[in-house]
Amino acid sequence: MWIERKVLAQEIPAAAALDTRQLCEVLAALGFPVDGVASLEGTESLDVDITANRGDAMSHRGIARELAAKLQQPLAPIATGVVPEGEALVQVRLEAEACPIYATAVLELGEGITPEAVQSFLRALEASPKRLSAVDASNELLLRYGHPTHAFDADAIRGAVSVRWAKAGETLATLDGVTRTLTERDLVIADEAGPIALAGVMGGDGTKVTEATRRVLLESAWFEPKVVRATARRHSLHTDASHRFGRGADPAMVRVARDLLVARLQAWCQAKLIGAWTAGAVPAPSAPVELGLALLARVAGEAVPLAAAQEALSRLGCVVTVAGDRLRVTPPSWRHDLSIAEDLAEEVLRLRGYEHIPSVLPPMEGPPEHLAPGYLQRQRVARRLAHLGFHQTVTYGFVSPEADALFASPDNPAAGRTLANPLGYEYSVLRASLLPSLKATAEQNLRQGSRQVQLFELAPTYRSTPSGPREQVTLATVWGGLLGGEDYLSPARAVLEADLAGLARDLALPGLPAIHRLSDGLFGFEIELDALPRLQDRIIPVFRPFSRFPTVERDLSLLVDLGQSYAALNQAMAAALPTDSLLELRCVDVFRHKSLPEGQQAWLLRMRFQADRTLVGDEVDGWVAAALAAAESLGAKLRA
Amino acid sequence: MDQLLPPEIVEAGRTFPAALAACSDLDALLRLKGAFVGREASHATRLMELLKTAPKEQKRELGAAINGLKQQWEEGLKARQAELEAAKRKLGALAATWDPALPPPQPPCGALHPLNRLMDRLVDVFRPLGFHVEEGPEVETEAHNFDGLNIPEDHPAKASSDTFYLAAHPELLLRTHTSPVQVRTLLRVTPELTARGGIRFLAPGRVYRKDEIDPTHSPMFHQVEGMLVGHGIGMQHLKGTLEYALRALFGPDTEIRLRPSYFPFVEPGCEVDVSCPLCGAQGCRVCKGSGWVEILGAGLIHPNVLTYAGIDPNEWSGWAFGMGVERMAMMLSQTPDLRLFFENDQRFLKAMGGLD
Ligand SMILES: [Zn+2]
């Protein structure tokens, strides 16, 4: 809220002595940081941030009250002559508990306009003056004292006025020109023909004050905050009045604000008071709150004398009595946020200044807990991938239905994962897979000129279930573009599926995951993190003896059909070899060339043997011959 | 004649040429030399012992055979040694002509995402104080996201203009903060709270709010929540912990400042400023000349939050804080546009991320 410095100083003269920086610091220390300073209409205004619990501070008077308590300086008295009350000129019936008090007055307007100083004040606070005294005075009072008031054209009101719940289907054209259909939960001001205002939110168009208005009926009331908030939200109608009432106005201000409004109209446009009266009464204050010495000391971090606490709370307007080691505190009528002992402790600390809170490390009361295996797993995988050259991405958890459909399995319908109120169609489905997001990110990187793109993401994916989307932490990687070719020793080549298979093996995946070709030269795979082997509990595994005898290595170059299954060949050859001596059997080269017989390729198979003795050449020769025979049974031939 | 010699020596002799060829350096050759013609426990010494004990009539023939073998081995070893020495000289010459300015092959180098790095760093900072990591789902119930946190029934954050809801499950939403992890964790540990001596944890994670995407807003962002429950916990413990952590993060000269503020789930509540880590509190663009930057919101856990979890607020108390990860990352890196963190350009990730 904008606070104009000159008007603030009228409420608390001591504030005039502070420079802007000092003032901002005091306000921040009180919990009202200043977001900006503006110079408008030749005066300085502060943009004060007021938290939602402090409706009472949403005015110049409210901020002045806080400063007065902190600086221990007096507030200026509110200058109002008491308006004599008499018989009700118009009957006002309070038919709902949500409005316990309603003060009003009827005045006959004379000649005159809003004083220039007030117009300037309104402009400085970005509230444009209407040059209608009744409207401008109401706005000025709101900004200055925080209590919303309203002026009706008295001649437009038909019969008695009541504050009541609307009847379902009743309509009201509000001041903003919108005709609103009301519900039974909307509190309205009504005359005998129907609603004339949404209580605490906005007046009706049919009874508004215009230049033609001769007589006004003023309203200064108190409405239940919950009711005002609900109505404002229901009608998407958030006004200055609904903000104040919605956060809790000061019921003790009801008559005062009416009197101030009357005095302004009398002064500004020679208005003549016809009559003033009040329906209902200020509600009784809520029960006192107790604050114990022990709780205060615990919250503050050190003992605070009861007398000091009593003094601080009194400065804030509380009525405080001492009962043993406790304070019994009745908050002032404008504070609706002080309902438990902790609230009061905060007030004591706030006035002392949070800078006086000591700094202490909390003692350990029990042993610390370990990091969860799942968390450590993710850290380990992320670091491994980063060291292998992959970049971790963070993409939105929601995607378009089309992108989602690319990789969602048929038994995972998007309907169970769709948002009711997405930011837009393209962000409407909680993703079943990370691959659509990574594909788009990778393609964008390639378009930006990346030679090679290596990305991974660790994030939840969602599966529709009857009880809602089930989350599963998922790892996805994509890899594409060109490898090598950036130095004189590494030849360039395109990234292939085989590279992702190698990556899957590096991560110790239990099997080969489905490797998706996402676009030309871009591949990816995705696994649920639970599929990865967990970290071993043992720091160092159990020792397993290994042979100290030398290994023997033999190569076989085989001609095989282009369609030959490597797995079948490998299996057949391995079956022919002694399991206790075979260390490894793997294809270490694939050769395809037109010099080879049509439809054939050459595979170089390497066998490594080891035993608990020195292997003899004849023995190994025999094994190799057996492996060759097994390969030949599948159609392979020894390459000459 | 071979029948006079032990079979293992015959086999060793047979494989000698292959073993010789397999020696790729002088060390390997020396080992082979030791095994065949060394002064102790070599094939040669064994043969000499054999000769001593052989019957007289065999000595001549055996001696000749042994000498033949030894000569063959020694010549082979000598020739291989010459070869290997020549190769070594050649390699040395090649090394002398290698131009180190030629770009060498680069080992691969990826990066962790800067937001993840920052969250990991926070976990590292709090670990020595006994904090562990708690996590919760991103799809949450209204109860965990709002009700358990003392957020009133009609709070504006609950509106569909602020919070994403699931179409098929109106009671489910995308969590708007990491605070529901507080609720879940407290509910879980309540029965064992006394036995374990309270609890202290961090909850890093992704959260969602219905904000349009622009340079300072994102519908998805990250928070780190911290919580501690113990006996007699007050504002001094919050201040002490944050002072320790923020000094570990920003340097030992860092000062912190608590200002009163309001969040429904804490009482008292505060915002915490840290002396500007970019200008050393001298005043700069980032701290708007004030020397302070706002870094997180915190406070003592509201008794209603403890009560909701079944914890007696007369016995237990605690503090909690919540920190915006993007906000801190942008402040520290002076990244001008929040969207860069979600575009995942490899150049950005490489420059901002790093490996640890
Ligand atoms: Zn600075």
Side-chain angles (χ1 to χ4, degrees):
Chain A
M1 176 188 178
W2 287 101
I3 296 292
E4 201 255 343
R5 285 209 53 179
K6 276 194 307 206
V7 173
L8 182 67
Q10 286 170 23
E11 296 295 334
I12 170 162
L18 300 176
D19 67 30
T20 303
R21 197 188 165 99
Q22 289 170 322
L23 185 56
C24 290
E25 272 172 17
V26 175
L27 286 171
L30 282 165
F32 303 100
V34 176
D35 290 341
V37 179
S39 288
L40 269 172
E41 297 287 317
T43 138
E44 209 166 49
S45 298
L46 311 180
D47 184 7
V48 181
D49 190 1
I50 298 167
T51 49
N53 60 327
R54 293 302 304 273
D56 65 289
M58 291 178 73
S59 67
H60 288 68
R61 183 76 182 181
I63 291 293
R65 230 166 9 214
E66 289 289 311
L67 288 172
K70 175 77 181 175
L71 304 173
Q72 308 193 45
Q73 294 291 330
L75 280 173
I78 296 179
T80 163
V82 174
V83 172
E85 293 204 328
E87 283 298 303
L89 299 179
V90 179
Q91 197 192 353
V92 175
R93 293 194 293 257
L94 305 184
E95 296 174 2
E97 277 180 19
C99 177
I101 179 168
Y102 194 103
T104 184
V106 172
L107 292 98
E108 205 170 278
L109 299 180
E111 288 301 307
I113 57 157
T114 310
E116 183 46 41
V118 174
Q119 290 194 35
S120 164
F121 169 68
L122 290 173
R123 277 194 296 270
L125 271 63
E126 295 176 339
S128 46
K130 304 284 185 294
R131 295 172 157 271
L132 293 168
S133 296
V135 177
D136 288 345
S138 176
N139 284 341
E140 188 241 0
L141 280 178
L142 175 91
L143 294 168
R144 186 149 175 180
Y145 298 106
H147 197 85
T149 53
H150 185 67
F152 296 97
D153 185 330
D155 295 319
I157 294 175
R158 291 139 297 184
V161 169
S162 56
V163 185
R164 61 164 171 85
W165 298 107
K167 301 180 180 97
E170 264 185 322
T171 59
L172 171 66
T174 41
L175 275 174
D176 55 358
V178 178
T179 298
R180 299 170 189 278
T181 304
L182 308 177
T183 77
E184 288 162 331
R185 283 162 297 154
D186 290 321
L187 190 69
V188 294
I189 321 299
D191 64 10
E192 285 170 10
I196 56 170
L198 264 179
V201 180
M202 191 177 265
D205 198 55
T207 50
K208 74 177 174 197
V209 172
T210 67
E211 282 171 10
T213 301
R214 300 273 53 93
R215 292 194 320 142
V216 289
L217 182 135
L218 305 182
E219 166 193 301
S220 178
W222 191 88
F223 303 110
E224 176 63 40
K226 253 188 197 154
V227 171
V228 175
R229 287 200 299 266
T231 293
R233 184 143 21 91
R234 195 172 303 125
H235 297 284
S236 296
L237 193 56
H238 300 279
T239 62
D240 286 342
S242 76
H243 270 139
R244 264 77 173 185
F245 282 126
R247 292 172 180 193
D250 178 2
M253 273 300 283
V254 166
R255 279 198 190 85
V256 178
R258 190 266 323 267
D259 294 355
L260 287 167
L261 192 50
V262 167
R264 273 162 174 67
L265 294 183
Q266 287 171 328
W268 297 358
C269 60
Q270 286 89 47
K272 210 171 87 196
L273 179 66
I274 313 274
W277 67 101
T278 298
V282 175
S286 42
V289 183
E290 292 206 341
L291 173 62
L293 207 51
L295 183 133
L296 180 59
R298 193 257 295 163
V299 170
E302 60 187 359
V304 179
L306 264 197
Q310 182 184 20
E311 194 264 345
L313 291 167
S314 303
R315 261 152 60 198
L316 288 166
C318 297
V319 177
V320 189
T321 57
V322 182
D325 63 348
R326 318 180 78 75
L327 298 179
R328 287 172 62 84
V329 180
T330 305
S333 57
W334 56 87
R335 293 294 297 267
H336 304 291
D337 60 323
L338 305 178
S339 52
I340 58 171
E342 282 81 355
D343 295 330
L344 300 174
E346 176 180 52
E347 292 305 291
V348 175
L349 259 61
R350 200 167 64 88
L351 275 205
R352 292 168 84 216
Y354 277 18
E355 67 273 19
H356 297 298
I357 297 169
S359 175
V360 180
L361 277 177
M364 291 291 287
E365 294 183 46
E369 198 168 308
H370 301 296
L371 294 173
Y375 175 81
L376 291 172
Q377 171 91 322
R378 251 175 295 149
Q379 303 293 322
R380 186 181 66 84
V381 168
R383 270 161 187 72
R384 178 65 190 149
L385 283 163
H387 279 99
L388 288 171
F390 287 79
H391 302 83
Q392 185 176 28
T393 65
V394 173
T395 53
Y396 293 149
F398 28 57
V399 295
S400 73
E402 285 80 15
D404 181 68
L406 290 177
F407 296 99
S409 68
D411 63 345
N412 186 9
R417 298 178 277 116
T418 300
L419 295 179
N421 55 334
L423 210 49
Y425 180 75
E426 56 180 322
Y427 305 116
S428 58
V429 179
L430 292 177
R431 56 190 174 179
S433 160
L434 306 179
L435 287 172
S437 314
L438 280 188
K439 174 182 188 299
T441 305
E443 286 168 353
Q444 175 64 13
N445 270 287
L446 290 170
R447 270 197 299 278
Q448 293 286 325
S450 278
R451 193 181 153 81
Q452 187 188 172
V453 60
Q454 283 181 284
L455 304 174
F456 76 97
E457 183 151 335
L458 279 161
T461 54
Y462 302 88
R463 168 169 285 277
S464 298
T465 76
S467 56
R470 185 178 64 85
E471 284 175 47
Q472 179 65 51
V473 182
T474 301
L475 166 70
T477 68
V478 300
W479 195 354
L482 281 178
L483 275 173
E486 300 262 67
D487 64 79
Y488 68 108
L489 291 170
S490 317
R493 69 166 174 85
V495 172
L496 298 168
E497 284 103 329
D499 294 312
L500 282 107
L503 178 66
R505 200 173 278 199
D506 182 274
L507 296 174
L509 297 193
L512 186 62
I515 293 171
H516 301 277
R517 185 194 180 85
L518 301 172
S519 55
D520 229 17
L522 183 69
F523 307 96
F525 68 76
E526 177 170 56
I527 52 153
E528 294 192 345
L529 214 61
D530 285 348
L532 280 175
R534 279 287 158 97
L535 288 177
Q536 296 299 313
D537 284 341
R538 242 175 229 283
I539 301 167
I540 299 176
V542 179
F543 173 71
R544 296 229 303 264
F546 51 90
S547 172
R548 294 177 175 278
F549 291 87
T551 58
V552 176
E553 197 174 282
R554 295 292 174 86
D555 287 353
L556 270 180
S557 182
L558 298 176
L559 271 177
V560 297
D561 289 344
L562 282 174
Q564 174 65 48
S565 149
Y566 173 70
L569 184 89
N570 185 298
Q571 201 180 8
M573 289 174 72
L577 293 168
T579 45
D580 54 345
S581 301
L582 179 67
L583 273 186
E584 193 179 22
L585 165 65
R586 63 186 290 177
C587 178
V588 294
D589 195 22
V590 173
F591 182 63
R592 291 173 186 169
H593 195 258
K594 59 179 187 294
S595 64
L596 295 178
E598 179 81 23
Q600 295 217 294
Q601 57 184 333
W603 284 350
L604 184 63
L605 284 141
R606 178 160 298 162
M607 290 156 278
R608 293 174 69 225
F609 302 99
Q610 191 176 42
D612 288 331
R613 58 197 158 85
T614 300
L615 290 173
V616 179
D618 291 346
E619 188 181 18
V620 176
D621 291 346
W623 293 341
V624 172
L628 176 60
E632 283 170 343
S633 74
L634 292 177
K637 284 196 280 294
L638 191 64
R639 190 177 165 212
Chain B
M1 188 196 74
D2 278 358
Q3 59 271 30
L4 297 177
L5 298 174
E8 65 270 24
I9 292 193
V10 175
E11 175 61 19
R14 202 176 75 81
T15 59
F16 178 71
L20 201 58
C23 289
S24 56
D25 57 35
L26 287 165
D27 285 346
L29 189 72
L30 272 178
R31 285 195 295 274
L32 192 73
K33 193 174 178 179
F36 277 83
V37 298
R39 291 195 185 160
E40 281 169 31
S42 68
H43 295 320
T45 55
R46 280 199 61 201
L47 288 172
M48 294 316 289
E49 277 160 26
L50 197 71
L51 186 62
K52 274 185 208 156
T53 58
K56 213 166 182 163
E57 63 279 12
Q58 287 182 4
K59 276 200 174 169
R60 196 184 144 82
E61 199 187 346
L62 189 60
I66 288 171
N67 277 336
L69 264 182
K70 278 175 70 182
Q71 193 183 345
Q72 186 194 335
W73 292 345
E74 269 160 3
E75 278 170 8
L77 286 162
K78 205 171 164 187
R80 184 70 185 138
Q81 186 170 351
E83 269 174 42
L84 288 173
E85 278 169 353
K88 198 181 169 187
R89 276 194 302 276
K90 198 175 153 200
L91 210 65
L94 198 70
T97 60
W98 168 59
D99 182 352
L102 266 178
Q106 284 290 320
C109 177
L112 299 172
H113 195 281
L115 298 174
N116 287 86
R117 275 187 87 198
L118 195 47
M119 289 191 287
D120 292 352
R121 190 67 219 287
L122 283 162
V123 172
D124 290 346
V125 161
F126 278 89
R127 278 299 280 161
L129 297 182
F131 285 71
H132 67 279
V133 173
E134 292 283 350
E135 296 179 292
E138 294 176 12
V139 175
E140 263 296 2
T141 60
E142 265 195 277
H144 285 136
N145 196 74
F146 294 121
D147 307 345
L149 292 161
N150 195 40
I151 296 173
E153 184 58 42
D154 66 345
H155 196 276
K158 284 185 156 187
S160 63
S161 57
D162 287 40
T163 298
F164 294 112
Y165 287 86
L166 271 291
H169 306 276
E171 76 288 2
L172 295 181
L173 47 80
L174 295 184
R175 65 178 178 189
T176 59
H177 43 191
T178 41
S179 308
V181 182
Q182 290 183 11
V183 182
R184 286 177 172 274
T185 305
L186 291 184
L187 283 168
R188 192 190 75 230
V189 302
T190 293
E192 62 199 44
L193 203 57
T194 299
R196 58 178 296 148
I199 187 166
R200 43 180 80 188
F201 63 88
L202 293 191
R206 291 143 48 112
V207 303
Y208 294 83
R209 284 182 203 172
K210 204 176 169 191
D211 284 324
E212 293 290 338
I213 300 166
D214 70 25
T216 54
H217 293 90
S218 168
M220 184 188 90
F221 54 101
H222 296 74
Q223 284 187 338
V224 174
E225 189 92 1
M227 180 175 250
L228 181 146
V229 176
H231 287 97
I233 299 300
M235 291 295 277
Q236 73 279 18
H237 298 121
L238 174 66
K239 199 176 197 177
T241 310
L242 291 177
E243 205 163 72
Y244 168 87
L246 294 170
R247 281 181 181 162
L249 208 56
F250 297 124
D253 298 330
T254 304
E255 292 297 330
I256 72 164
R257 179 171 87 171
L258 271 55
R259 286 184 284 104
S261 191
Y262 169 72
F263 308 97
F265 30 91
V266 289
E267 190 64 46
C270 63
E271 290 200 279
V272 178
D273 297 336
V274 62
S275 55
C276 180
L278 294 165
C279 65
Q282 297 304 299
C284 69
R285 201 175 49 80
V286 171
C287 58
K288 298 194 190 102
S290 72
W292 294 99
V293 280
E294 189 187 317
I295 204 94
L296 56 87
L300 298 188
I301 305 168
H302 197 287
N304 290 356
V305 173
L306 294 172
T307 306
Y308 182 91
I311 298 170
D312 178 6
N314 294 314
E315 182 190 351
W316 296 95
S317 52
W319 55 248
F321 72 79
M323 182 188 286
V325 180
E326 279 80 356
R327 182 194 172 88
M328 193 196 268
M330 283 179 82
M331 187 265 287
L332 290 175
S333 65
Q334 298 181 62
T335 304
D337 192 328
L338 178 56
R339 290 171 293 194
L340 285 164
F341 287 96
F342 305 106
E343 277 168 14
N344 302 293
D345 188 303
Q346 282 189 155
R347 292 166 294 186
F348 176 81
L349 297 174
K350 222 182 261 299
M352 312 288 291
L355 286 175
D356 51 8

